[in-house]
Amino acid sequence: MSGAGFAGLTAAVALAQRGWSVRVHERGEKLREEGAGIVLWQNTLTVLDSLGVTDELNAGSMRPPYYETRMQNRIVSQEGMDGIAWRTMTRPYLHSVLLNAARAAGAEVVAGSEVVGATETGTLRLRDGSELEADLVVGADGVGSAVRDSLGIDYDRQGSRDGITRFLVGRHKEELAAIEPDTEWDNVIDFWNFEPRVLRVLYTPANDRELYIALMAPAADEDGSRVPIDLDLWTSIHPQLAPVLREAAVTPGRYYGYSTTRLEHWTQGRVALIGDSAHAMCPALAQGAGCAMVNAYTLAEAATAASASDLPDALTEWERLERPYTDRCQERSQDYADTRGMSQGGQFTGDVMETTLYDPTDPRRHDVARTR
Ligand SMILES: Cc1cc2nc3c(=O)[nH]c(=O)nc-3n(C[C@H](O)[C@H](O)[C@H](O)COP(=O)(O)OP(=O)(O)OC[C@H]3O[C@@H](n4cnc5c(N)ncnc54)[C@H](O)[C@@H]3O)c2cc1C
């Protein structure tokens, strides 16, 4: 397997728990997830539950009371999700939970081991010149996937006009409450602002101590996308967030543009691609890692059910059944990113919830979809 991000580690746990001998090659010298926070929805939490990590996950994450959307600091919606599961956490924490589970299941995770390519007959090629044979090769090596590119799988990439800089900072709860005493600072709060310019702060408590903030600005806005952030600019638009913005201004960060990647096919022979290598998406619906982990799980199920000789056909069938859900999620996320539609609030209803409500552990899920 190539890549020990959320996709690769989830596949490693699910495959190892099903009796596969698993080795993950990670290019990074250290096994860790850089980056700030993440929101996971019911589809992904269901996968994590079936991997047996719910208790550990819950111990270091939180379930905010509401997802609140504001425009020009006026509340436009507060959504409690009506019993749908969702949680927020830091990325390093989620990574550590998955890494512990992968090791407990017997998977080997090797750091400082770069994959340079793969063949459809199941050979994984490493930077150090080794060639390893496997029944199944999983390319979970992110948006710049060497596995995908070595197989010559064609793709198109659609960019977005906005980008985001993400930070993990302290909660600063008392200071925030002193500024706005009536605000529930445990909520996720999506602070949109269009006038005099588009500058959005997605405020996401990750646990008791840590706050994840994502600062969105158009790529064309030089001051808005600058890192270190332009503190005067951001506090002039979002003065109620001054305590956390001050800390963000002295925290290292990087402005990222995002895009949608659509592949000709996710599988080739004995190779399957999952996660951003196969289906990177705009973060509007917060489902990129979610879909990655769901697809990692269903891949493990499909591969385990196949005989060694039938594996390539089983992978093709896995893609045929599972991909449409991810394709639709990518479309909706791209649409939200293009229109900035989440600023209208009340967005967690109707078709948009298809991905969240998908239960990848339900063996009858495709029967249900067919009879709809
Ligand atoms: C601003 C923003 C916010 C987001 N928020 C959310 C959210 O709230 N919820 C959500 O579900 N998703 C979110 N996402 C999407 C999510 O971050 C990604 O979809 C997810 O991290 C992809 O995981 P991955 O394992 O496929 O790829 P990656 O995280 O990129 O992991 C790939 C791994 O492979 C390794 N690697 C790369 N090349 C090689 C190689 N040649 N050999 C060996 N190893 C290699 C890398 O070092 C890395 O460890 C967000 C994305 C963005 C941009």
Side-chain angles (χ1 to χ4, degrees):
M1 189 173 316
S2 177
F6 298 138
L9 288 177
T10 304
V13 182
L15 285 164
Q17 287 180 345
R18 284 161 182 73
W20 291 72
S21 167
V22 178
R23 190 184 312 122
V24 186
H25 294 271
E26 164 57 44
R27 178 174 63 182
E29 291 299 328
K30 293 221 167 100
L31 296 176
R32 62 170 184 216
E33 167 73 20
E34 294 185 1
I38 191 158
V39 183
L40 296 183
W41 299 92
Q42 184 160 295
N43 53 335
T44 322
L45 295 171
T46 304
V47 165
L48 292 168
D49 193 47
S50 70
L51 299 182
V53 301
T54 295
D55 289 347
E56 193 185 347
L57 189 82
N58 288 357
S61 61
M62 68 179 272
R63 202 288 196 192
Y66 287 95
Y67 190 109
E68 180 173 316
T69 304
R70 297 190 187 190
M71 174 54 83
Q72 313 284 137
N73 207 29
R74 270 213 294 280
I75 297 173
V76 290
S77 65
Q78 283 182 322
E79 295 173 86
M81 305 303 166
D82 288 334
I84 293 167
W86 63 299
R87 293 193 80 80
T88 59
M89 64 210 72
T90 70
R91 283 174 183 256
Y93 189 72
L94 175 60
H95 191 269
S96 71
V97 169
L98 288 170
L99 185 57
N100 290 344
R103 286 176 168 151
E108 191 185 346
V109 188
V110 189
S113 180
E114 183 179 350
V115 171
V116 291
T119 67
E120 60 182 63
T121 53
T123 305
L124 192 68
R125 293 187 290 110
L126 305 184
R127 170 72 62 202
D128 68 8
S130 345
E131 299 211 338
L132 309 166
E133 299 301 322
D135 290 328
L136 168 67
V137 170
V138 180
D141 43 359
V143 74
S145 174
V147 171
R148 177 195 64 215
D149 294 347
S150 70
L151 291 167
I153 297 176
D154 209 8
Y155 61 88
D156 75 69
R157 191 161 278 163
Q158 182 179 358
S160 176
R161 61 183 157 163
D162 299 322
I164 286 185
T165 311
R166 293 170 281 179
F167 300 98
L168 266 188
V169 296
R171 289 292 307 268
H172 297 277
K173 245 178 129 171
E174 285 176 12
E175 293 156 86
L176 292 167
I179 296 170
E180 268 186 17
D182 294 338
T183 292
E184 171 49 82
W185 290 105
D186 276 349
N187 285 346
V188 168
I189 311 179
D190 204 348
F191 289 93
W192 283 87
N193 198 90
F194 281 179
E195 296 296 337
R197 62 209 286 172
V198 176
L199 289 179
R200 167 194 181 200
V201 179
L202 180 60
Y203 166 103
T204 307
N207 55 47
D208 285 347
R209 292 164 291 105
E210 293 163 294
L211 171 71
Y212 159 43
I213 52 168
L215 275 54
M216 189 196 93
D221 181 342
E222 270 184 41
D223 294 329
S225 55
R226 178 170 299 144
V227 185
I229 63 164
D230 181 334
L231 184 60
D232 289 343
L233 171 64
W234 283 92
T235 47
S236 70
I237 304 284
H238 298 287
Q240 69 282 27
L241 294 175
V244 297
L245 291 170
R246 275 198 293 271
E247 189 179 340
V250 293
T251 303
R254 194 176 130 201
Y255 177 85
Y256 284 91
Y258 33 77
S259 53
T260 302
T261 307
R262 298 183 189 84
L263 268 56
E264 210 174 18
H265 39 90
W266 288 1
T267 73
Q268 194 159 308
R270 295 187 170 276
V271 181
L273 299 164
I274 49 172
D276 280 6
S277 68
H279 49 71
M281 64 182 75
C282 294
L285 291 178
Q287 278 285 4
C291 287
M293 294 161 75
V294 163
N295 289 327
Y297 179 86
T298 57
L299 170 66
E301 292 257 287
T304 304
S307 66
S309 59
D310 289 344
L311 191 87
D313 289 341
L315 298 184
T316 308
E317 179 64 0
W318 163 75
E319 177 178 350
R320 188 185 73 78
L321 288 172
E322 300 297 333
R323 180 169 175 166
Y325 298 93
T326 300
D327 284 348
R328 290 194 287 274
C329 187
Q330 284 184 296
E331 290 309 316
R332 290 174 186 132
S333 296
Q334 181 73 46
D335 184 58
Y336 263 149
D338 289 345
T339 59
R340 298 179 179 137
M342 294 189 76
S343 60
Q344 290 162 20
Q347 66 262 34
F348 296 108
T349 54
D351 286 356
V352 162
M353 295 309 278
E354 183 197 28
T355 317
T356 299
L357 296 175
Y358 186 56
D359 181 356
T361 65
D362 178 357
R364 298 188 52 230
R365 63 194 181 281
H366 300 299
D367 303 342
V368 174
R370 268 196 287 272
T371 55
R372 246 184 219 143

